[in-house]
Amino acid sequence: QKEVEQNSGPLSVPEGAIASLNCTYSDRVSQSFFWYRQYSGKSPELIMSIYSNGDKEDGRFTAQLNKASQYVSLLIRDSQPSDSATYLCAVTGLPGTDKLIFGTGTRLQVFP
Amino acid sequence: GAVVSQHPSWVICKSGTSVKIECRSLDFQATTMFWYRQFPKQSLMLMATSNEGSKATYEQGVEKDKFLINHASLTLSTLTVTSAHPEDSSFYICSATTGGESNEKLFFGSGTQLSVL
């Protein structure tokens, strides 16, 4: 079983809609969870981080974490064509470790 | 925010040659740097963790004699792909951390696209 799993997509949504990206992880000791956005040929950039159960909102982005279900999601409201990219879910293991395990990413396409 | 500079951005080399990739933290001291490899449409795979002044820790399946990592200072880590072959063609990305428990202090370089002919 992969450590971090994501649907590869592509996920296609119209401009202005809500895009919902999902991620599951296998290691119950994972403490920190991150969403990165990666444009083709570029390095990842951090979008959101979440550490405790529940929702965390930042602008148009909302991260949701459910540790019991080992599930983390990212909602993008009012999706824009510029949001079209691959979104990588990443988790860490033991507290204090900087080692990130990445999912394969979900490709999001926002069409006008 | 902190900046991590990675060079070169892309390199094309002949099979059998060695390629060095540099990763520099420009405005902070990075006690730890990470090297990732990403094949097309795949995830970032951690290759090794580089700590200043000590030997790098390699992930399972990564050949330490092929992928030489040197972290000689708090601002510079290098990855040398020795005797590169076409299967080594990939996108290599470094990241550096300022320390602490939060990965929000983790900053990525711009990546190096390696093509081995």
Side-chain angles (χ1 to χ4, degrees):
Chain A
Q1 181 185 4
K2 292 183 180 178
E3 294 185 70
V4 181
E5 292 201 50
Q6 295 180 255
N7 187 318
S8 61
L11 172 66
S12 294
V13 299
E15 184 174 358
I18 296 175
S20 178
L21 305 163
N22 304 314
C23 172
T24 58
Y25 59 95
S26 60
D27 191 349
R28 285 195 170 273
V29 302
S30 295
Q31 296 287 319
S32 306
F33 307 86
F34 304 86
W35 283 99
Y36 286 84
R37 177 174 63 197
Q38 185 179 28
Y39 294 108
S40 181
K42 304 295 183 182
S43 60
E45 54 179 318
L46 182 65
I47 298 296
M48 289 282 288
S49 61
I50 188 166
Y51 306 99
S52 55
N53 282 326
D55 295 0
K56 179 181 178 182
E57 185 175 320
D58 183 0
R60 296 188 295 114
F61 300 97
T62 298
Q64 299 173 319
L65 175 61
N66 184 324
K67 290 187 177 181
S69 300
Q70 295 174 240
Y71 174 93
V72 58
S73 66
L74 178 70
L75 300 178
I76 306 175
R77 289 180 298 281
D78 187 24
S79 296
Q80 302 297 310
S82 58
D83 294 327
S84 299
T86 296
Y87 289 80
L88 302 170
C89 173
V91 305
T92 58
L94 295 173
T97 177
D98 290 322
K99 183 176 171 179
L100 279 178
I101 306 299
F102 284 86
T104 53
T106 298
R107 190 158 63 93
L108 172 66
Q109 294 178 335
V110 181
F111 55 91
Chain B
V3 176
V4 175
S5 174
Q6 185 174 343
H7 292 282
S9 299
W10 57 271
V11 59
I12 301 173
C13 69
K14 293 182 179 180
S15 184
T17 61
S18 294
V19 175
K20 179 184 283 189
I21 303 170
E22 290 189 351
C23 182
R24 293 180 183 272
S25 56
L26 296 185
D27 52 1
F28 66 99
Q29 293 184 328
T31 54
T32 303
M33 290 186 177
F34 302 90
W35 287 96
Y36 291 86
R37 179 170 53 182
Q38 186 177 34
F39 293 107
K41 297 185 178 181
Q42 294 189 24
S43 183
L44 277 75
M45 298 300 297
L46 180 64
M47 299 176 66
T49 302
S50 170
N51 294 294
E52 186 268 338
S54 63
K55 291 183 179 180
T57 302
Y58 290 82
E59 295 299 302
Q60 189 174 10
V62 178
E63 301 175 57
K64 61 180 181 181
D65 294 330
K66 181 171 182 62
F67 299 99
L68 301 179
I69 292 173
N70 186 305
H71 195 157
S73 76
L74 285 171
T75 59
L76 174 65
S77 176
T78 61
L79 168 68
T80 300
V81 183
T82 62
S83 186
H85 291 283
E87 58 265 30
D88 298 322
S89 299
S90 185
F91 191 53
Y92 293 85
I93 307 174
C94 71
S95 66
T97 179
T98 59
E101 294 188 359
S102 171
N103 273 95
E104 295 187 42
K105 299 185 178 69
L106 190 66
F107 304 96
F108 283 89
S110 55
T112 298
Q113 183 64 54
L114 171 63
S115 297
V116 184
L117 304 177

